[in-house]
């Protein structure tokens, strides 16, 4: 996954590359810098990339890796929990074999907090979301899913909340980004997936994508794919204010030959479409 975010790059670099012999006097907070976090899903790491603009007109800018974060420092603890729980182990191995194509899934979505202190990451194979201190690599908070897999997230425009899809529990959790405390939830269909906040943070646009792991994907077999839906949620109440069946919309458009799967989505700048 690729996510642009503001990070305290000076703190990242000092923590990961050059630890000082003695603590330096604390001065004003380092300036924030725009970077991109690139998740290495199977490896369980995230690269921090800085963009350098082109030196001359007509040239291309380029990204430079300035740090690599270990997103699974608690690997031994998490996998001890999994391997001592038969139900969790079965789903863990199923994710590895099918969704992960023989690999574990450790890094899905990532967002930094607005102050650049924490990196919020969903970790599908561990069925959780963590808040990691970027400067130290320390996990500050962890929120386990009710189901067996975490998926896509969205961060609110003010950076205070994150909405995370709980793949097998058919719901979306709303968490505080600073603490990981749950402050709300709303129901979804099968395999809740993408979330997007409106610019004024009054709505969440959400899609469940159905049972993507089943082989049939023709409209006549839509019932085998489960409940795939697009819905709009009021963030003040977490109530669904509109729900759209994409198969019905496709049929109205004259494409009854297409399945009702929902994935992915994009909002127009004015949010009319």
């Amino acid at each position: 996954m690729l996510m642009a975010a503001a990070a305290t790059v000076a703190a990242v670099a000092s923590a990961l590359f050059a630890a000082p012999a003695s603590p330096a006097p604390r001065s004003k907070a380092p300036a924030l810098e725009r970077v991109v976090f690139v998740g290495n899903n199977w490896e369980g790491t995230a690269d921090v990339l800085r963009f350098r603009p082109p030196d001359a007109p007509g040239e291309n800018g380029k990204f430079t890796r300035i740090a690599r974060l270990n997103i699974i420092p608690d690997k031994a603890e998490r996998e001890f929990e999994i391997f001592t729980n038969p139900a969790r182990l079965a789903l863990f191995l199923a994710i590895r074999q099918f969704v992960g194509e023989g690999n574990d899934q450790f890094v899905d979505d990532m967002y930094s907090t607005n102050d650049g202190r924490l990196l919020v990451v969903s970790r599908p194979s561990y069925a959780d979301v963590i808040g990691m201190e970027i400067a130290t690599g320390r996990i500050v908070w962890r929120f386990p899913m009710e189901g067996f897999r975490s998926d896509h997230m969205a961060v609110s425009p003010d950076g205070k909340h994150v909405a995370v899809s709980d793949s097998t529990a058919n719901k979306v959790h709303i968490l505080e980004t600073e603490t990981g405390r749950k402050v709300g939830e709303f129901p979804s269909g099968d395999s809740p997936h993408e979330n997007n906040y409106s610019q004024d943070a009054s709505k969440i646009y959400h899609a469940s994508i159905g049972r993507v792991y089943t082989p049939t994907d023709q409209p006549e077999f839509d019932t085998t794919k489960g409940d795939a839906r697009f819905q709009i949620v009021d963030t003040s109440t977490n109530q669904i204010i509109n729900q759209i069946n994409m198969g019905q919309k496709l049929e109205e458009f004259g494409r009854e030959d297409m399945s009702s799967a929902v994935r992915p989505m994009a909002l127009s700048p004015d949010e009319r479409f």
Side-chain angles (χ1 to χ4, degrees):
M1 297 302 299
L2 222 69
M3 273 299 156
T8 314
V9 172
V12 172
S14 64
L16 297 181
F17 297 129
S22 59
R26 189 171 181 84
S27 58
K28 65 178 183 179
L32 297 180
E33 181 170 343
R34 304 292 290 185
V35 300
V36 175
F37 295 101
V38 181
N40 306 306
N41 193 16
W42 296 348
E43 186 182 60
T45 62
D47 290 331
V48 185
L49 306 183
R50 174 194 288 147
F51 180 71
R52 193 183 78 181
D55 296 322
E59 294 183 358
N60 294 322
K62 67 177 183 178
F63 286 99
T64 302
R65 188 178 76 190
I66 59 174
R68 174 168 284 179
L69 303 173
N70 177 16
I71 304 300
I72 51 171
D74 56 341
K75 185 176 191 288
E77 182 181 359
R78 297 283 77 81
E79 295 190 5
F80 177 80
E81 293 173 351
I82 291 169
F83 279 79
T84 54
N85 182 318
R88 288 196 63 191
L89 177 59
L91 268 293
F92 178 81
L93 295 176
I95 291 169
R96 175 187 290 174
Q97 184 63 33
F98 298 107
V99 186
E101 301 176 5
N103 300 274
D104 296 319
Q105 292 192 306
F106 294 129
V107 187
D108 200 88
D109 261 358
M110 294 180 290
Y111 294 93
S112 74
T113 51
N114 286 1
D115 61 4
R117 186 176 75 88
L118 298 181
L119 185 65
V120 180
V121 188
S122 61
R123 306 188 299 181
S125 286
Y126 290 167
D128 65 10
V129 180
I130 60 167
M132 172 176 284
E133 195 169 57
I134 295 173
T136 65
R138 179 175 65 93
I139 294 177
V140 175
W141 58 259
R142 174 176 178 264
F143 181 84
M145 296 292 99
E146 293 179 18
F148 296 99
R149 187 178 183 276
S150 55
D151 208 298
H152 285 344
M153 303 189 298
V155 69
S156 59
D158 61 8
K160 292 182 178 180
H161 297 108
V162 64
V164 55
S165 290
D166 193 333
S167 292
T168 62
N170 289 14
K171 64 173 57 178
V172 174
H173 305 283
I174 311 298
L175 312 178
E176 290 181 344
T177 54
E178 285 293 328
T179 66
R181 184 174 71 92
K182 181 172 174 175
V183 294
E185 66 175 46
F186 60 84
S188 177
D190 288 299
S191 299
H193 194 247
E194 195 166 0
N195 302 289
N196 283 292
Y197 276 88
S198 61
Q199 293 179 21
D200 64 1
S202 66
K203 301 179 185 68
I204 293 176
Y205 302 94
H206 170 74
S208 63
I209 56 177
R211 304 187 188 107
V212 294
Y213 42 83
T214 60
T216 52
D217 198 25
Q218 291 79 38
E220 57 268 28
F221 296 118
D222 264 354
T223 54
T224 70
K225 305 299 285 186
D227 182 4
R229 64 168 82 159
F230 175 80
Q231 63 191 35
I232 302 172
V233 178
D234 184 334
T235 56
S236 64
T237 63
N238 288 320
Q239 297 298 307
I240 299 169
I241 55 178
N242 196 6
Q243 195 171 98
I244 297 169
N245 182 313
M246 297 308 294
Q248 180 182 338
K249 289 295 181 182
L250 286 164
E251 190 172 342
E252 291 172 3
F253 190 66
R255 293 309 304 265
E256 62 277 356
D257 57 315
M258 298 180 73
S259 83
S260 58
V262 182
R263 177 179 184 176
M265 73 169 82
L267 297 175
S268 62
D270 61 5
E271 298 185 12
R272 289 184 60 207
F273 302 102

